[in-house]
Amino acid sequence: MTYPTILSSSLFLLIVFGVERICRRWGVPSVIVLVTSGLIARPVLDSIGVQLNWAGLLVPIVGTIGLVLIVLEGALDIELRRERVRLIGATLFLATAGFVICVLVFATLAHVVLELSVVQAVLLAAPFAVISSAVAIPSTTFLPRKGREFVVYETSMSDIIGVLVFFSLLRSDGSVQGALVTLLGGGVLSLLLSVFCAGGLMLVLLRVEGHIRFIPVLAALFALYATGELLHLSPLIMVLFFGLLLNKPSLVTRFHPFQDWIEADYHATLSEFKTLVVELTFVVRGFFFVLLGYWTDLSELASPMPWLAAALILVVIFSTRWVLVPMTVGPDLAKPLVWIAPRGLITVLLFLTVRDSFTLPGYLNGAVILVVLISSALILVAGIAQGRLAPEDETPAASFGDPEASPARRLPDPDWDR
């Protein structure tokens, strides 16, 4: 049993790596192939009498680990620099406005059609309002550098905003007032503790010497995250601050006791840490989407209801972008960026959390999978709208195998400051 398990796991990772590379070369979002592979694998394995009964248990666990890594990776992609003020402002506006509008529309529909309370309706709406950076960033190599930078910042901020709002609402008492108290009161407490913990983790990373540095720091990060969840706080704020502080250590080292804590090789250390986070995210994403496909019951897609629900959700998402994106960027970039709003791991994980909190119609399970697959597939429309591959003198955007190629880690583009 030991060696077959090792062999199958190794082959699985190699296949996922190959799928990522091929999909990036062809401009196809890899999530489509991974989920479809899981969907196909279930009837095939069932036909030969093999059942992975542990798949349903692993999906939320792997998804939670992936959630922390995605928020951390998104924070590491955001540079708090003066040259980035205009870009950060534009993407923050688009990410926030898109999330708020989608939540309002979806929550209204859920409140009227499904007769959910206001807080329950908002909780159900939030997963569908979050753009997946893990799907969008590696799938947009056809964009020029300016467009890829915009995707990195917008999707990272959408992830962070959506997750923080969702878990703050989830911990409320089910009333609008309770939700506001949780957002403000719990948010302030979480913010204070998060700044303290994130600063402590960053200082540990700065001072720890030797070959083993990153795994203990990540273990401490996950332990603090789990502790925060058990205490009903918002520990993802800590993950966000940890990533931001690592990218901008001067926020801490400007204080007198820590002024000499930055070593000459800090940037090399940070680059190694980013590489580890990117590769761990790759592994978790691969397992999650294949397991999600295997775990999905194909009978849930047989009725028209999930298709109608998915169609309505997609119409709202992309209608919103047709209005907001041209307001934020020029016409040349607006044409492809309108179609880049995939839903992915975060959408599925938040939906599973909602489903465990209160009863939902069964057809929504199939609608989630359809929204993930179709919204990811529509990135191909963005490639057609762009009408060309990335220019030869520009390096493709960040991928799971090339963290240094991330556009957010390059020199600033002066066009954003004009």
Side-chain angles (χ1 to χ4, degrees), residues 36-379:
T36 304
S37 300
L39 288 170
I40 296 173
R42 182 166 184 170
V44 172
L45 292 177
D46 287 346
S47 65
I48 60 177
V50 177
Q51 291 186 339
L52 306 180
N53 296 322
W54 42 264
L57 298 175
L58 280 185
V59 166
I61 297 174
V62 174
T64 301
I65 295 173
L67 177 65
V68 175
L69 290 174
I70 287 173
V71 172
L72 177 59
E73 185 180 359
L76 289 172
D77 279 334
I78 297 176
E79 292 186 349
L80 300 177
R81 297 193 307 183
R82 186 174 301 173
E83 298 86 351
R84 285 290 187 267
V85 170
R86 187 173 178 180
L87 173 59
I88 291 174
T91 52
L92 179 60
F93 164 77
L94 183 57
T96 304
F99 177 80
V100 170
I101 293 173
C102 286
V103 165
L104 289 176
V105 175
F106 295 148
T108 301
L109 292 172
H111 180 63
V112 173
V113 177
L114 303 180
E115 299 181 347
L116 299 176
S117 69
V118 174
V119 172
Q120 288 178 335
V122 173
L123 283 172
L124 178 59
F128 298 100
V130 180
I131 303 174
S132 172
S133 61
V135 176
I137 293 175
S139 303
T140 53
T141 55
F142 55 84
L143 290 176
R145 180 164 68 94
K146 187 175 178 180
R148 296 196 302 272
E149 283 185 328
F150 198 93
V151 170
V152 168
Y153 278 78
E154 183 202 358
T155 57
S156 299
M157 290 180 182
S158 180
D159 286 350
I160 293 165
I161 292 170
V163 169
L164 293 181
V165 170
F166 177 87
F167 281 104
S168 295
L169 291 173
L170 184 67
R171 297 184 183 93
S172 67
D173 59 4
S175 66
V176 177
Q177 294 177 341
L180 292 175
V181 170
T182 302
L183 279 171
L184 297 177
V188 170
L189 178 59
S190 298
L191 181 63
L192 294 175
L193 292 176
S194 296
V195 170
F196 176 77
C197 294
L201 284 174
M202 193 206 76
L203 293 175
V204 169
L205 184 61
L206 289 176
R207 302 306 297 171
V208 170
E209 298 179 353
H211 297 292
I212 302 175
R213 294 174 292 176
F214 302 141
I215 295 300
V217 170
L218 285 176
L221 181 66
F222 280 108
L224 289 172
Y225 175 84
T227 302
E229 288 289 347
L230 293 173
L231 296 176
H232 304 292
L233 299 174
S234 299
L236 278 171
I237 300 177
M238 175 194 63
V239 180
L240 169 62
F241 272 96
F242 180 53
L244 294 176
L245 289 177
L246 286 180
N247 247 1
K248 189 78 170 176
S250 60
L251 294 174
V252 173
T253 56
R254 67 178 58 186
F255 298 105
H256 180 69
F258 313 116
Q259 288 178 347
D260 299 327
W261 282 38
I262 290 288
E263 302 290 343
D265 61 346
Y266 174 74
H267 292 292
T269 300
L270 179 60
S271 177
E272 293 174 10
F273 183 72
K274 288 180 178 179
T275 301
L276 175 63
V277 171
V278 169
E279 295 199 2
L280 286 176
T281 305
F282 155 75
V283 174
V284 172
R285 279 184 69 251
F287 273 109
F288 178 82
F289 284 122
V290 173
L291 287 175
L292 176 65
Y294 177 86
W295 187 49
T296 301
D297 189 353
L298 288 175
S299 63
E300 295 174 345
L301 306 179
S303 68
M305 286 302 297
W307 293 88
L308 292 174
L312 179 60
I313 292 168
L314 291 167
V315 167
V316 172
I317 290 171
F318 290 100
S319 297
T320 302
R321 291 189 67 79
W322 271 101
V323 175
L324 294 177
V325 173
M327 295 170 54
T328 312
V329 298
D332 292 338
L333 277 180
K335 188 181 296 184
L337 287 179
V338 162
W339 298 103
I340 301 175
R343 272 50 182 170
L345 185 151
I346 290 182
T347 295
V348 176
L349 181 62
L350 298 187
F351 175 78
L352 294 178
T353 304
V354 172
R355 198 181 65 176
D356 291 338
S357 301
F358 49 88
T359 304
L360 292 172
Y363 64 82
L364 287 179
N365 297 331
V368 171
I369 300 299
L370 291 173
V371 168
V372 170
L373 292 176
I374 297 173
S375 63
S376 300
L378 287 175
I379 295 178

Side-chain angles (χ1 to χ4, degrees), residues 5-20:
T5 302
I6 294 174
L7 176 61
S8 58
S9 300
S10 302
L11 290 176
F12 172 81
L13 288 177
L14 290 174
I15 291 171
V16 171
F17 176 76
V19 167
E20 292 277 357

